Amino acid sequence: MSSEPGEDPSRQPREEDQVDARADGPAPTVVIVSGLSGSGKSVALKTFEDLDYYCVDNLPVELLPSFVRSLMRDNALPQKIAVGIDVRNRHSDLSKLAQWRAGVAELGLHGTLLFFDASDEVLLRRYSDTRRKHPLAHFGLSLPESISREREITAPLRSEADVIIDTTALNVHQLRRRIIAEFALNNGSSLSLLFESFAYKRGVPADADFVFDARVLPNPHWNPLLRPLSGRDAGVRDYLDAQPEVSEYVGQVNAFLDTWLPRLRGETRSYVTIAFGCTGGKHRSVYLAERLAAHAREQGWEEVATFHRELD
């Protein structure tokens, strides 16, 4: 199938279609999000959207190069694009994805195929919990038959995938964090920073490199007007900004990180996690993660991301 009438998908791109490889900075990135239904693709696309990717879901695979060219013609090509391609479009031939990926590469974009997988047992349980219909159920297949058939159809995509994420043992929060670590951080040779918030009542993140306890600070939870908000909201930020002990805390933590984080650049690690915890993981820890991430960017760190375990 051609993406446009009379179009040859293997043709060389026109000069005006190509991204100038000589331009400063990395080439625009296209992440193709695929995998089994129920394995986490929707969560992934929402996470990419939160990471400022331009997201399109359920795009027919043969329209991928045309979609990218349309953005180029409108001079609106984003630096980061995520496209969902899977079995929901029953007329697409997923086995030809390599051909259409090559067309995108010829346009000067860097493409990554991300495939999500999970065990049959977990997929069956997820469908049972949500009571959703499998996209192949319209063929009259039972749920186990639909999952088996989808594995067959998507096998070419899995074999060509650059990254495979098995979500069998991951919850939503762990999946979001994995995507952030894979795609918001570690995109270059420099050390990347992840500022994370969490609730102590749910445990300290196991892989945090630095952990700071914010429970000593004034708690916005006790203000009825601030209780429904989070540390991302202006009301909570203004309240905490006005507290002298918060300013002292932030200044001391910033001084510590400004001193020691640069010394980790020579290590073999690719990114460092700085975690802030409070009682509920909603106000103080979120505020601190966002504020110190902003400070890190001001200090010249290029790859900085935030993750709020109890909110995201």
Side-chain angles (χ1 to χ4, degrees):
M1 180 184 294
S2 296
S3 56
E4 294 179 359
E7 181 181 4
D8 178 4
S10 63
R11 70 164 174 81
Q12 293 296 316
R14 296 171 307 216
E15 181 178 353
E16 61 268 27
D17 284 339
Q18 298 185 46
V19 176
D20 187 356
R22 297 166 299 177
D24 293 336
T29 297
V30 177
V31 178
I32 301 170
V33 180
S34 192
L36 300 179
S37 303
S39 61
K41 301 191 305 296
S42 296
V43 173
L45 281 170
K46 179 61 171 65
T47 305
F48 279 117
E49 186 176 17
D50 293 341
L51 294 174
D52 295 326
Y53 279 70
Y54 182 91
C55 295
V56 175
D57 194 16
N58 198 19
L59 183 75
V61 62
E62 61 271 12
L63 296 184
L64 182 59
S66 295
F67 166 69
V68 173
R69 281 195 293 271
S70 70
L71 295 178
M72 292 178 173
R73 285 196 294 267
D74 296 337
N75 294 319
L77 183 65
Q79 189 66 23
K80 301 182 295 184
I81 304 168
V83 180
I85 294 176
D86 51 48
V87 298
R88 284 172 295 169
N89 194 297
R90 68 189 72 172
H91 302 297
S92 291
D93 185 353
L94 299 182
S95 67
K96 296 183 178 179
L97 178 61
Q99 172 183 349
W100 302 106
R101 285 183 73 188
V104 171
E106 289 172 352
L107 294 171
L109 280 73
H110 172 70
T112 298
L113 173 56
L114 171 60
F115 190 93
F116 289 90
D117 201 350
S119 69
D120 286 3
E121 180 182 1
V122 166
L123 293 174
L124 287 167
R125 186 176 70 242
R126 289 173 182 171
Y127 269 99
S128 176
D129 291 342
T130 61
R131 299 185 182 276
R132 292 171 51 234
K133 291 182 63 176
H134 193 280
L136 298 182
H138 60 269
F139 289 115
L141 302 175
S142 66
L143 181 54
E145 291 172 334
S146 296
I147 293 173
S148 177
R149 178 59 180 146
E150 185 177 25
R151 285 196 186 279
E152 295 175 6
I153 296 173
T154 59
L157 278 69
R158 195 184 195 284
S159 66
E160 295 175 13
D162 302 294
V163 179
I164 298 174
I165 296 180
D166 190 325
T167 66
T168 299
L170 300 181
N171 60 33
V172 171
H173 306 297
Q174 292 167 330
L175 175 55
R176 284 180 57 86
R177 194 182 192 281
R178 174 75 182 274
I179 294 169
I180 290 170
E182 290 273 1
F183 292 93
L185 300 176
N186 198 24
N187 292 324
S189 59
S190 63
L191 185 69
S192 304
L193 306 180
L194 176 63
F195 290 85
E196 180 172 354
S197 67
F198 68 94
Y200 270 100
K201 63 183 180 182
R202 295 187 58 194
V204 177
D207 54 356
D209 297 291
F210 297 99
V211 177
F212 296 94
D213 191 340
R215 291 175 294 183
V216 297
L217 301 178
N219 192 351
H221 172 81
W222 302 115
N223 185 323
L225 296 177
L226 301 179
R227 187 173 302 166
L229 306 179
S230 79
R232 290 168 166 165
D233 294 308
V236 173
R237 293 200 307 269
D238 292 343
Y239 170 82
L240 291 171
D241 284 345
Q243 309 300 317
E245 55 264 63
V246 173
S247 296
E248 182 180 8
Y249 184 103
V250 169
Q252 291 179 355
V253 173
N254 273 334
F256 174 84
L257 295 177
D258 288 347
T259 299
W260 295 106
L261 286 179
R263 304 191 187 191
L264 296 177
R265 281 195 169 108
E267 301 287 334
T268 57
R269 69 184 74 197
S270 58
Y271 72 93
V272 174
T273 299
I274 304 100
F276 296 90
C278 62
T279 306
K282 183 179 179 181
H283 297 110
R284 294 165 290 181
S285 59
V286 173
Y287 163 87
L288 290 170
E290 291 288 344
R291 181 162 175 183
L292 273 80
H295 174 79
R297 296 185 185 100
E298 292 171 357
Q299 294 298 110
W301 291 91
E302 296 180 357
E303 294 184 3
V304 179
T306 58
F307 173 69
H308 304 298
R309 192 180 72 182
E310 321 308 343
L311 299 183
D312 293 336

